[in-house]
Amino acid sequence: MRKDKALLLKLARSDRSGLNPDELKRSDELRKTEISRPLVMVNSSTSGIVAGSLLTWKAVESYAADRSIELDLTETGSIGLSSEDPVVSVQIPGRTRIFFSRITEGRVPSLLDDLFHQVVPDGNVIGQLLREGQEPWENVPALADLPFFALQNRIVMESCGIIDPFSLEEYMAGGGYGAFIRTIRSYTFSEVCELVTASGLRGRSGGGFSTGEKWKAAFRTPSDQKYLICNAEESDPGAFMDRTLMEGNPFQLLEGISIAAYAIGSNRAYIYIRSEYKDAIRRINNAIKELREIGLLGDNILDSGYNLQISLRKGPGAFVCGEETALIASLEGKRGMPSSKPPYPTTSGYLGRPTVVNNVETLSNLPGIIRKGPEWFRSIGTEESPGTKIFSISGRVALSGLVEVPMGTSFDTIINKIIGGAGRGRELKALHLGGPSGCMVPLDLMDLPVSYEALKEKGLIMGSGGVLVMDDRTCVVNTVRFFMYYLNKQSCGKCIPCREGTRRMAEILASITRKPADEEGSTTLERFKGVMQLESLAEVMKDTSLCGLGQNAPNPVVSTLKYFRHEYEEHIFERRCPSNTCTELRTWYIDVDLCTGCTVCAKKCPADAIIGTARHPYFIVQEKCIGCGICYDVCKFSAVYYK
Amino acid sequence: MADQAARIEKILHQFPQIKRNALIPLLQAVQDEFGFISEEAVAKIGAHLSLPTSKVYGLATFYNQFSFSPRGFYHVVLCNGTSCHMGGAGDLLNEITKLLEIGDGETTRDGLFSLEVQSCIGACGQSPVMSVNGTYFSGISVKEVREIIKQYREDAER
C-alpha cells in the first residue's frame, strides 16, 4: 500500500483540531485507537527474543490460523519491564489494550481464548493502557497507576513498547516528524542551535556536555563538509537503554538525527552501531528506507532545499569505540584508538572535518524539545540538569528493566519504590553506577538526587546510566576484580597508564581474592606492596591516561576503597570473603557422615591438602588448601562443602 | 578452495571504492559470509585496498567481532556481562570450558562446537544467558548447561 504522503505530513504537523472527519478517522486507525480487528503485539526486542518471543509469535500465528480468526499481529519494542518478558499486549476492538507478562508459547491459546470471550485471564496481567474512546476493562489496573510507571516521567520512552517500530505511519499519526518538518521550514541553522542551548540539554552518554554548545562549535567552524555521528556503540555491559530506544522507536532517533544534522549545517550523518545489535539494525534500516520513500531523507527534503543522507555503519565491537575520537578512527577504517584532544572533533573530526558525535538518548530527546519548546524541557529535572535520564537496572533486583525519571530523582525512589528493591527477601548492599568504569554507591547515599552536579560533588559519575544492584550475596572486591579484568582486556593499548595500570590493578585485586598457601615469602611481600599502592596507582591513571577509558578505569577501585574499605580489609587480613563469593577464598570441609573414603578427592587435590585412610572419612588440611574447589567438583557423595 | 576464492572475489566486487574506510565493512562482509576470516581473505583484502597484509590483520585482531578460525557446527555464545557474571556466568564458563575443552574464540577439534564469550547480549533481566546457533537459554544453571551441551552432542550423533 502506497503511503498517503500529503495526509501523513498534515497529521504530523497540525494539531488535531485542523483535521476533517475523514482525516481524523484515518489518524485514529493509524494510531490504533480505533481498530476493526483484534490486535496482538509481541515484544520482539532483544530481551523479548531471549525470553522466547519468537515462539510466542508463532503460537499466535498458528492460533489464528487454526481457528480462522483474522487478527493483526505486530512487533513492538520493550515497555521497559525486561525481566517480565516476553511481554504481549492485546487489544480487541472498542476495548483498551492490556499488557501481559511472561507469555511463553504455551500460554498463548488460553490467553487469547479468554480475551476473545471478553474475560481477563487470571495472572500474568501487567495493566491496561487507558485511551480516550476505548472501554476500559474492569479490575485491571491502569499502566500509569502501577508503581513502576507512576513514579517515572517517560518522555523519551513514551512510545516504546506501545507503537509498532516498523510503521512510519503510526509514528507520524502520533505527531512524529512534526518537529523536523517545523525545524526545516521555520528555523535557521543557528536558531536550532540556540533553541537547544536554551533547553539546557546535556549529553546523556556520561560527560554531560551542553549539546547546544557542542553544535555551535561545529557550526561556527567553516568547512565544505560537516558530519553528524550518532554514537550507538553502547558497549557498557549492563547498559541497554540505547538499544531499547532504537528497537522501540527508531523513527524518534532518526528525527533527532535529522534535526541535529540540520542544526550544524551537515548533510551527511552516520549511525555507528554495534554489530551485535541485529534487531536494532533491522529496525533502523527499515526506518531509513521508509523515510527515503516518503521524501523525508534524500535531496531537497520537502522542497526546503535541504539535503540529508543518513547511513548506518556497523561497529566491529570494541569497548573503547564508545569514546568519540576512537569511534571516528574506527569509522575511518583504522583501529579504534582515541587521540588526544584538542583538536576536538567539532573542529577536526571525521576525515578532518567538523564532526558532532551525539549519543542515542541525547538525540532522541530532540523531537520533544522542538515540539514542546525549551521552557517545557527546562521545567523537568533540576536547574543545571534539565530533562530526564533513562537508567537500565539489572543485577539482584525484583524487577529489572529501564526506568526513565526526571534528573534529581533519588536512588531510593528509583531502586526501592520503582524497581521494588532487591527482591526475594534479600537486602540491598550497594549500587554500581555507570558500567565497568563507574562507581560503587553505598546505601547511605541512597537519598542523593541523581544529577550531574550532585554526583560530581560526591566524586561519583553518572556514566551511561547502567545501574547494577548488589545484594548481600555479592562480593564488592570480586565485582571490582571482574571490572578490572574487563577494562584491561578492552584497553586499546595506546597509552601506558591505561594498558599497564589496569593490568596491575587486576593482578593486585586477584591476589587479594586468593589464598596465600601457594605463595613464597617474596610473593607475599609483593602482594602487600601492591595493595598499599592501589590508591596512588589510581591517581596516576586518572591524571595521565589519554581517554575516558583509562581516566575512569580506577573509579570502581577508588570508590570501593572509600566506601567499602572493611571488605578489602576482611579479604586481606582475615583471608575471608564475607559474602562467600570469591571461590578461591572459600574454606572447604568434608562432611564426615557423607564421606565414604573413596580417595578420589585426595588423588585430585593439586595441593595435597586432603589426607586420610581409604574407606574412612578424609579431611582437609586448611593450611595447605588453595581453595580451588576441585574436591567439590569430583566428590560423588556431596560430602564436600564450604563456609 | 577455488570456490572460496571466487566467493571472496564476489565480496570485493561489492566494494568498488578502494578507500581505507571500506576496510571494516569489507572484513564484516567476509566474516558474515564465512563465519571467520581466513588468511587468504586477509591477503586478498589487502591487495584490493593496497594495504599491507599486516595492517589488515592488525586492524582485524583489534576488534572483537572478527574471528580467525572457522566456527563449529554449534556456535555457543555465552554472555559474561556484569549482570550475567553476578548471575553465575563465570561458573557456566568454567563448566563449558571443562566440557568442551576449548576457550573463548576456539573450536573443538571435531568442529562440532565453538565458543564465544560476549561482553553483553543486552538481556540483563534474564541473566545468565547463553545461546547456541541463535537459540537462547536464559536463567540457566551449571546443571542445565551440562544438559544442553549433552543434548546438542546427541543431536549431532544422530
Side-chain angles (χ1 to χ4, degrees):
Chain A
M1 190 177 71
R2 260 191 75 81
K3 292 187 189 71
D4 188 346
K5 185 177 166 185
L7 173 70
L8 283 178
L9 292 179
K10 198 168 175 189
L11 293 181
R13 70 163 189 273
S14 75
D15 57 280
R16 287 168 61 81
S17 57
L19 301 176
N20 67 38
D22 274 356
E23 289 166 340
L24 269 175
K25 187 165 182 300
R26 184 81 189 110
S27 153
D28 285 342
E29 276 170 20
L30 289 174
R31 289 165 62 216
K32 301 195 176 108
T33 44
E34 244 185 65
I35 52 169
S36 50
R37 305 200 297 182
L39 170 72
V40 180
M41 300 188 99
V42 178
N43 171 14
S44 61
S45 67
T46 312
S47 112
I49 290 175
V50 169
S53 71
L54 295 180
L55 296 173
T56 306
W57 176 278
K58 282 200 189 121
V60 176
E61 272 181 343
S62 55
Y63 175 91
D66 289 350
R67 292 165 180 77
S68 321
I69 296 173
E70 283 200 3
L71 51 79
D72 289 314
L73 178 60
T74 52
E75 300 185 36
T76 54
S78 168
I79 49 165
L81 283 162
S82 9
S83 53
E84 301 302 302
D85 274 323
V87 170
V88 170
S89 59
V90 187
Q91 184 180 351
I92 49 181
R95 306 296 297 262
T96 55
R97 198 190 301 172
I98 311 188
F99 285 77
F100 299 92
S101 66
R102 301 177 199 239
I103 302 298
T104 42
E105 56 179 328
R107 287 190 173 141
V108 169
S110 67
L111 171 85
L112 293 181
D113 275 344
D114 280 353
L115 279 171
F116 290 160
H117 289 101
Q118 305 271 346
V119 177
V120 181
D122 295 333
N124 300 70
V125 176
I126 300 176
Q128 58 180 332
L129 179 73
L130 293 180
R131 275 171 159 182
E132 229 175 283
Q134 293 176 348
E135 191 199 336
W137 296 82
E138 265 173 51
N139 299 326
V140 176
L143 272 189
D145 294 341
L146 296 172
F148 182 80
F149 294 99
L151 292 163
Q152 296 191 47
N153 184 0
R154 297 199 162 208
I155 56 173
V156 184
M157 283 191 64
E158 195 186 358
S159 307
C160 278
I162 311 282
I163 63 164
D164 175 2
F166 286 94
S167 169
L168 174 62
E169 288 166 300
E170 187 174 351
Y171 180 67
M172 289 183 80
Y177 257 89
F180 175 63
I181 295 169
R182 187 149 109 214
T183 305
I184 55 171
R185 290 211 168 133
S186 327
Y187 299 122
T188 62
F189 298 141
S190 52
E191 273 171 0
V192 188
C193 288
E194 287 303 334
L195 220 143
V196 172
T197 312
S199 76
L201 176 68
R202 298 170 70 169
R204 293 291 191 253
S205 58
F209 191 76
S210 159
T211 306
E213 295 296 334
K214 200 181 201 175
W215 288 1
K216 274 193 219 163
F219 177 66
R220 284 191 201 120
T221 313
S223 171
D224 57 338
Q225 177 71 56
K226 290 172 189 176
Y227 294 101
L228 183 101
I229 297 172
C230 166
N231 182 353
E233 170 61 25
E234 194 180 52
S235 35
D236 262 13
F240 47 94
M241 60 289 264
D242 286 356
R243 168 188 225 147
T244 312
L245 274 178
M246 290 187 280
E247 287 170 349
N249 198 352
F251 293 107
Q252 179 177 267
L253 171 66
L254 285 163
E255 188 179 0
I257 293 174
S258 308
I259 294 168
Y262 178 82
I264 61 166
S266 154
N267 55 26
R268 201 81 187 81
Y270 292 98
I271 302 172
Y272 184 89
I273 188 168
R274 249 172 102 178
S275 58
E276 288 153 33
Y277 284 14
K278 295 205 165 56
D279 295 287
I281 291 172
R282 189 163 62 96
R283 285 163 171 81
I284 288 181
N285 274 334
N286 171 72
I288 293 177
K289 195 180 100 240
E290 299 234 328
L291 289 169
R292 267 199 205 123
E293 274 171 14
I294 203 169
L296 285 167
L297 275 182
D299 289 339
N300 192 17
I301 298 168
L302 306 179
D303 298 324
S304 63
Y306 177 62
N307 312 330
L308 178 65
Q309 296 293 342
I310 300 180
S311 356
L312 191 129
R313 286 291 195 86
K314 286 188 273 181
F319 181 68
V320 65
C321 286
E323 204 277 340
E324 54 180 3
T325 53
L327 187 155
I328 290 168
S330 175
L331 259 186
E332 288 171 347
K334 297 176 192 155
R335 281 178 166 216
M337 289 185 174
S339 49
S340 55
K341 296 190 255 188
Y344 289 95
T346 44
T347 46
S348 173
Y350 182 54
L351 304 176
R353 306 277 169 47
T355 304
V356 166
V357 184
N358 282 146
N359 102 319
V360 173
E361 198 187 332
T362 319
L363 291 165
S364 296
N365 263 302
L366 295 170
I369 294 175
I370 302 285
R371 201 170 335 146
K372 297 180 190 166
E375 299 78 24
W376 163 80
F377 193 74
R378 273 224 172 266
S379 70
I380 305 165
T382 64
E383 181 66 34
E384 281 157 83
S385 307
T388 59
K389 175 81 191 92
I390 305 177
F391 294 95
S392 71
I393 297 166
S394 62
R396 302 272 165 80
V397 271
L399 282 174
S400 99
L402 293 177
V403 169
E404 182 179 353
V405 285
M407 292 267 191
T409 308
S410 68
F411 283 123
D412 181 55
T413 310
I414 299 173
I415 304 298
N416 289 327
K417 300 206 176 108
I418 298 180
I419 286 292
R424 295 196 197 102
R426 310 299 303 205
E427 268 179 44
L428 278 184
K429 181 177 191 172
L431 308 177
H432 187 84
L433 191 61
S437 52
C439 297
M440 204 80 81
V441 184
L443 290 187
D444 37 324
L445 287 181
M446 285 293 274
D447 290 332
L448 194 75
V450 187
S451 67
Y452 293 106
E453 319 80 63
L455 288 173
K456 205 174 175 186
E457 228 170 74
K458 294 275 174 206
L460 305 168
I461 59 158
M462 172 140 18
S464 53
V467 179
L468 181 75
V469 182
M470 303 171 152
D471 67 4
D472 47 356
R473 288 172 297 169
T474 338
C475 171
V476 167
V477 183
N478 198 25
T479 313
V480 176
R481 175 183 131 170
F482 168 73
F483 288 147
M484 214 40 79
Y485 268 115
Y486 178 78
L487 290 169
N488 179 239
K489 217 176 127 198
Q490 295 299 332
S491 168
C492 81
K494 189 175 182 176
C495 72
I496 299 162
C498 170
R499 185 183 67 217
E500 301 301 324
T502 48
R503 161 168 306 209
R504 185 73 191 109
M505 277 195 166
E507 280 171 8
I508 296 168
L509 289 164
S511 72
I512 298 177
T513 52
R514 197 169 54 212
K515 284 210 167 181
D518 56 341
E519 286 176 4
E520 309 265 313
S522 60
T523 339
T524 315
L525 197 68
E526 278 299 306
R527 176 175 53 79
F528 207 75
K529 224 167 82 186
V531 176
M532 304 282 287
Q533 285 169 347
L534 211 47
E535 266 169 332
S536 62
L537 178 60
E539 210 54 45
V540 172
M541 284 167 69
K542 222 176 187 61
D543 291 343
T544 55
S545 291
L546 190 60
C547 81
L549 195 152
Q551 285 157 10
N552 288 317
N555 279 340
V557 172
V558 174
S559 61
T560 46
L561 274 175
K562 189 167 167 195
Y563 298 115
F564 296 93
R565 208 178 185 96
H566 55 280
E567 256 187 55
Y568 278 87
E569 282 166 0
E570 261 170 292
H571 277 82
I572 297 169
F573 299 122
E574 292 171 35
R575 290 289 176 187
R576 206 173 70 81
C577 175
S579 48
N580 247 328
T581 318
C582 299
T583 42
E584 289 165 69
L585 276 182
R586 281 174 185 163
T587 314
W588 296 90
Y589 301 94
I590 294 175
D591 189 327
V592 283
D593 295 333
L594 292 173
C595 181
T596 60
C598 72
T599 74
V600 169
C601 56
K603 280 179 189 156
K604 290 276 180 187
C605 179
D608 288 330
I610 304 179
I611 54 170
T613 332
R615 287 185 294 282
H616 293 281
Y618 275 61
F619 75 97
I620 299 174
V621 183
Q622 297 302 343
E623 286 71 30
K624 279 184 163 182
C625 177
I626 55 167
C628 63
I630 288 177
C631 45
Y632 176 79
D633 289 341
V634 296
C635 183
K636 289 193 185 106
F637 307 97
S638 312
V640 183
Y641 65 99
Y642 62 83
K643 265 202 274 197
Chain B
M1 277 298 115
D3 168 50
Q4 195 195 351
R7 276 157 79 194
I8 296 173
E9 281 302 328
K10 205 176 151 201
I11 294 168
L12 292 177
H13 273 297
Q14 292 163 6
F15 292 86
Q17 94 231 61
I18 40 166
K19 274 192 208 151
R20 172 108 193 212
N21 54 11
L23 176 54
I24 291 174
L26 238 171
L27 285 166
Q28 284 170 332
V30 172
Q31 167 93 22
D32 286 348
E33 173 83 22
F34 299 99
F36 77 109
I37 293 165
S38 61
E39 256 180 70
E40 193 186 356
V42 173
K44 282 220 155 94
I45 292 170
H48 184 69
L49 299 178
S50 316
L51 280 172
T53 316
S54 60
K55 285 254 177 201
V56 178
Y57 189 67
L59 177 117
T61 48
F62 182 81
Y63 294 105
N64 303 335
Q65 193 193 352
F66 305 120
S67 74
F68 303 92
S69 56
R71 280 187 176 173
F73 186 70
Y74 295 117
H75 186 58
V76 181
V77 177
L78 180 76
C79 176
N80 197 14
T82 356
S83 186
C84 287
H85 182 79
M86 268 174 74
D91 294 338
L92 299 188
L93 180 60
N94 286 341
E95 188 63 29
I96 296 171
T97 319
K98 232 187 283 172
L99 281 173
L100 302 177
E101 298 177 340
I102 50 169
D104 180 15
E106 292 176 355
T107 307
T108 51
R109 274 204 178 173
D110 57 2
L112 197 55
F113 289 97
S114 54
L115 174 65
E116 182 185 343
V117 180
Q118 274 189 8
S119 51
C120 188
I121 284 185
C124 304
Q126 277 99 20
S127 62
V129 179
M130 179 178 108
S131 83
V132 181
N133 285 1
T135 307
Y136 288 99
F137 302 92
S138 55
I140 43 173
S141 65
V142 169
K143 211 174 136 199
E144 281 168 292
V145 164
R146 238 176 267 155
E147 288 296 311
I148 292 164
I149 301 278
K150 202 176 133 205
Q151 190 62 46
Y152 276 104
R153 228 180 227 144
E154 280 169 10
D155 285 356
E157 276 162 16
R158 217 171 286 146

